[in-house]
Amino acid sequence: MNEASQTIERIDLRGVKVYPFTGPDHLIDFADEHKGILVAVNAEKIMNANELTLPILNNNIAYCDGSGAVLAARQKGATQAVKIAGCELWLKIIERYHDTKTFYIIGAKTEVHDETIRRLLQRWPDIKIVGHRDGYIKDDTERQALIDDVADKRPDVVFVAMGSPKQELLMADMLKRHRAIYQGLGGSFDVFTDTVKRAPKWWIDHNIEFAYRLIKQPKRITRNFKFIKYAWWLLWHKF
Ligand code: UDP
């Protein structure tokens, strides 16, 4: 029995139930065995959880993609839990399966999307992309056509980079028609194509990537005020 076959007890973080994976390989093994939607959880998603997002988080494979979520999970006994960055995870999934599984790739603006596909093919010439399209879906007819196409092509892995909760709602509808590994990627294609810069490694390594984004995008300050409350929960063991 590999690590993934073992039952993994989820940790409840104020209603958000996360799997305390011990690393990306642990997560990928689990996702391959169980299929479903990989959903990144950070402090902001825990703070903003509501009746629309909770079912999405709790009916799928939620993992800690943020130091705040990891600290809370560890506080609740999951001492082995680590942060898994969604914007790196999808590349690890491709690295592992590019020559054995099929992929469907959705999301971002047309230019960013096309550049993503170009770079993927450049890095993994043998990657099997059975379908792809940008993330700007005009109406229900187009949305339905996409869901039909995914069900028809039956990819093993589907990446959707459209931001939350739009991407999760789309993946949930796709999953009803076709079982696969789905991952929501937010703005990862913008980072992958160098359209948007991620924080330098030092900031990432010291778990303060959020502070870098704050300096670069000061408008995010109102989003960050909420974290004072989150820090208070952490400090006083309120999880
Ligand atoms: N996007 C999309 N379709 C939409 C709206 C957004 O494909 O209808 C893309 C957008 O171009 C960007 C990403 O989704 O690449 C959203 O990035 P953001 O950083 O806002 O998402 P987050 O990571 O915060 O969820």
Side-chain angles (χ1 to χ4, degrees):
M1 187 163 74
N2 67 22
E3 207 180 357
S5 312
Q6 297 162 19
T7 318
I8 303 175
E9 204 179 317
R10 291 190 293 175
I11 308 292
D12 189 324
L13 304 178
R14 295 200 152 242
V16 176
K17 295 187 182 128
V18 297
Y19 285 89
F21 294 113
T22 56
D25 286 327
H26 187 201
L27 186 161
I28 297 169
D29 286 344
F30 184 87
D32 192 30
E33 186 176 335
H34 297 269
K35 312 296 183 225
I37 305 170
L38 301 174
V39 198
V41 172
N42 54 25
E44 193 174 7
K45 286 209 186 140
I46 295 170
M47 303 268 334
N48 293 338
N50 57 36
E51 63 283 1
L52 176 70
T53 60
L54 269 179
I56 293 171
L57 293 162
N58 292 344
N59 294 334
N60 293 296
I61 306 170
Y63 63 96
C64 299
D65 177 3
S67 325
V70 171
L71 286 173
R74 288 189 182 163
Q75 209 170 74
K76 292 205 81 173
T79 51
Q80 309 291 313
V82 296
K83 173 181 160 175
I84 298 172
C87 64
E88 291 166 11
L89 177 66
W90 72 292
L91 296 170
K92 291 196 166 100
I93 294 176
I94 298 179
E95 182 60 37
R96 183 141 143 194
Y97 294 131
H98 62 94
D99 52 352
T100 51
K101 293 194 189 289
T102 55
F103 295 83
Y104 203 111
I105 297 182
I106 303 159
K109 296 194 186 104
T110 310
E111 316 79 72
V112 174
H113 177 86
D114 292 347
E115 179 62 11
T116 300
I117 300 295
R118 196 187 68 73
R119 290 192 187 198
L120 289 176
L121 288 167
Q122 190 178 46
R123 196 181 307 181
W124 293 282
D126 59 353
I127 185 173
K128 295 176 195 72
I129 299 173
V130 294
H132 67 93
R133 65 151 292 161
D134 66 57
Y136 290 82
I137 298 165
K138 282 193 229 42
D139 51 31
D140 275 353
T141 314
E142 219 175 276
R143 189 175 187 274
Q144 195 50 50
L146 176 61
I147 296 170
D148 290 344
D149 196 46
V150 168
D152 188 42
K153 304 260 174 66
R154 313 196 62 73
D156 299 305
V157 182
V158 183
F159 294 124
V160 186
M162 290 171 56
S164 298
K166 203 180 272 183
Q167 60 192 21
E168 281 80 19
L169 295 170
L170 178 61
M171 291 188 289
D173 285 344
M174 289 172 168
L175 181 63
K176 282 184 211 143
R177 297 276 308 280
H178 170 60
R179 247 168 69 82
I181 300 173
Y182 291 84
Q183 186 186 355
L185 290 176
S188 299
F189 293 169
D190 300 283
V191 175
F192 182 63
T193 56
D194 297 317
T195 311
V196 169
K197 282 257 169 294
R198 214 182 154 196
K201 193 171 175 308
W202 186 88
W203 297 72
I204 297 170
D205 289 349
H206 289 80
N207 293 324
I208 51 171
E209 189 171 6
F210 73 92
Y212 180 85
R213 293 178 78 185
L214 194 58
I215 294 165
K216 291 282 170 189
Q217 297 167 275
K219 278 195 198 139
R220 296 176 77 98
I221 189 76
T222 47
R223 285 166 75 165
N224 281 265
F225 278 141
K226 287 192 181 163
F227 294 133
I228 295 170
K229 188 167 167 193
Y230 193 88
W232 189 82
W233 287 348
L234 271 177
L235 215 57
W236 297 102
H237 297 256
K238 296 281 184 191
F239 279 97

